[in-house]
Amino acid sequence: MIVVIKPNTTAEQTKDVVDKITSMGYGVNVSQGAERLIIGVLGVREDKDMLAAQLRSFECVDRVVSISRSFKFVSREGTQAKTVVRVNGDVHIGDSAVHVIAGPCTVEGRDMLLDTARFVKSRGATMLRGGAYKPSTSPYSFQGMGKEGLQILAEARADCGLPIVTEVMDPRDVGLVSEFADVLQIGARNMQNFNLLKEVAKAHKPVMLKRGLSATVEEWLLAAEYIYAGGNHEVILCERGIRTFETATRNTLDLSAVPLLALLTHLPVIVDPSHGTGKWELVTPMACAAIAAGADGIMIEVHPRPADALKDGFESLNFEKYAKMMEAVRPIAAAMSRPIASDSRPAVQVTSG
Ligand code: PEP
Ligand code: MN
């Protein structure tokens, strides 16, 4: 951390700042430049953010610049090796392959989920998605099937062998959802539900953390830090678009976040072009773009009959369109020297939750 002192500051004022820093146990390195005096704060301790805030209250302090990252455990600075999240032992997100997670927005019933699971698996998905607890903007929209939805997801896993990712919205449900899910999804609306983050940090299941509706990359990584520092190191980040002034798409899919995150964090990153665009027509092009940007996977909403979907039919691919999407992404993955995961390994076999 560096403290820049304003011009025309007296030696006494500077001494007050130095005394404050040393009184909190930090070292100082004072450097007089041609125009400004700069104080380097030496040492790493948990109260550094507090010290920075307190130093800003000194009249002679122009600014306080942080050098190290506010997120420590998930930062690339500490751990150089990329994290590979092992889902149910067999699906390794963050390895050299691109993973495809597919399924309906919402579990609407047994038949539609089983049909979808079988189809997406036959066309290269390595994980099944589907919400049982749905975060609905309107209290009048479908809220999901709850526990019954979880049971149907487990049945689909037993039937087709795909591990399942499903959302948990309430800290009180983490235990129950963990009994069924292979990956716990934290939705965009809950990215900063800190009690929920602390609860999934204690769960023994990987977590997929979606980017908040208007979260900066730093806020998102700090949310991941809650889970990681709380003891759960199996965290997957999911870019799903952010809210901007643009209304032509449901969200603005921030694909620049993908290579940026590769610089900032060792955690794997996947992209959800369905919620990221809100238009089924844009899902395939943005799935291709996500893979070209270096994503470790894509998450796609697929519904047997989007026109009858209870939720998000407008951004869901039907089976035929999903199959075409898979054909479109394959050469992009190949160009990135990353095979589609299902092409590079034997069929997934999952038996338990
Ligand atoms: C979802 O994936 O079903 C979902 C609700 O997404 P988000 O939290 O990104 O809106
Ligand atoms: Mn949805």
Side-chain angles (χ1 to χ4, degrees):
M1 182 159 85
I2 284 171
V3 186
V4 182
I5 302 294
K6 288 179 185 163
N8 306 321
T9 294
T10 65
E12 210 169 300
Q13 285 175 305
T14 306
K15 184 174 178 306
D16 287 346
V17 175
V18 169
D19 287 349
K20 170 72 189 174
I21 298 168
T22 52
S23 74
M24 285 180 65
Y26 290 90
V28 290
N29 180 339
V30 182
S31 142
Q32 177 68 65
E35 290 174 14
R36 297 285 175 107
L37 187 101
I38 289 173
I39 304 173
V41 179
L42 311 175
V44 184
R45 293 192 8 203
E46 280 195 349
D47 58 4
K48 208 163 192 175
D49 287 347
M50 186 180 81
L51 173 62
Q54 291 176 344
L55 289 172
R56 285 191 185 101
S57 73
F58 283 73
E59 251 176 57
C60 66
V61 169
D62 182 17
R63 56 190 191 276
V64 179
V65 186
S66 181
I67 306 290
S68 56
R69 305 250 179 241
S70 48
F71 41 91
K72 302 196 185 323
F73 288 117
V74 305
S75 160
R76 193 117 220 191
E77 273 171 12
T79 316
Q80 286 303 316
K82 189 170 171 185
T83 291
V84 176
V85 172
R86 283 163 214 282
V87 178
N88 216 335
D90 210 8
V91 174
H92 300 172
I93 310 247
D95 65 5
S96 59
V98 172
H99 291 263
V100 180
I101 304 166
C105 177
T106 307
V107 181
E108 298 173 5
R110 186 177 173 280
D111 291 349
M112 66 79 71
L113 190 71
L114 261 67
D115 287 352
T116 309
R118 287 174 189 154
F119 187 81
V120 297
K121 185 186 176 186
S122 75
R123 295 297 194 284
T126 38
M127 218 191 299
L128 175 67
R129 63 147 290 145
Y133 296 91
K134 291 306 298 180
S136 293
T137 300
S138 164
Y140 308 115
S141 326
F142 183 51
Q143 305 285 314
M145 292 179 77
K147 187 173 178 186
E148 197 188 340
L150 295 175
Q151 285 162 337
I152 295 173
L153 280 163
E155 194 182 337
R157 170 178 53 209
D159 177 81
C160 72
L162 292 181
I164 52 184
V165 53
T166 194
E167 179 158 356
V168 56
M169 290 169 58
D170 189 319
R172 291 166 299 188
D173 290 337
V174 171
L176 175 72
V177 178
S178 300
E179 282 175 32
F180 293 89
D182 297 293
V183 176
L184 301 170
Q185 177 172 324
I186 302 293
R189 289 156 192 81
N190 273 315
M191 189 205 82
Q192 285 189 316
N193 181 339
F194 299 114
N195 288 334
L196 181 59
L197 300 180
K198 286 179 192 166
E199 208 52 42
V200 297
K202 291 187 264 169
H204 298 286
K205 288 287 161 84
V207 176
M208 176 193 292
L209 178 65
K210 297 192 99 179
R211 183 175 184 175
L213 302 177
S214 5
T216 64
V217 165
E218 185 177 25
E219 287 162 343
W220 187 12
L221 288 172
L222 283 168
E225 186 85 4
Y226 265 89
I227 304 169
Y228 204 97
N232 190 343
H233 297 178
E234 309 287 297
V235 183
I236 304 159
L237 300 169
C238 177
E239 163 63 41
R240 48 77 72 203
I242 47 175
R243 184 163 293 187
T244 66
F245 58 84
E246 181 58 78
T247 52
T249 46
R250 184 180 186 181
N251 292 293
T252 297
L253 187 61
D254 180 11
L255 286 185
S256 66
V258 177
L260 176 63
L261 286 164
L263 298 174
L264 295 178
T265 179
H266 51 85
L267 297 177
V269 182
I270 68 161
V271 172
D272 170 355
S274 304
H275 295 90
T277 63
K279 287 187 187 298
W280 63 263
E281 298 96 322
L282 306 186
V283 169
T284 297
M286 296 316 280
C288 291
I291 294 170
D296 296 302
I298 49 176
M299 184 156 84
I300 308 291
E301 286 189 333
V302 178
H303 193 285
R305 293 166 302 282
D308 296 333
L310 297 182
K311 262 185 175 319
D312 292 358
F314 49 83
E315 63 188 32
S316 301
L317 302 184
N318 63 19
F319 291 176
E320 190 194 338
K321 291 191 171 79
Y322 171 75
K324 283 197 177 135
M325 183 214 70
M326 287 304 296
E327 292 314 312
V329 296
R330 225 168 235 122
I332 309 293
M336 296 298 292
S337 306
R338 299 185 75 174
I340 298 291
S342 59
D343 294 347
S344 65
R345 47 198 281 282
V348 185
Q349 280 308 329
V350 177
T351 47
S352 66

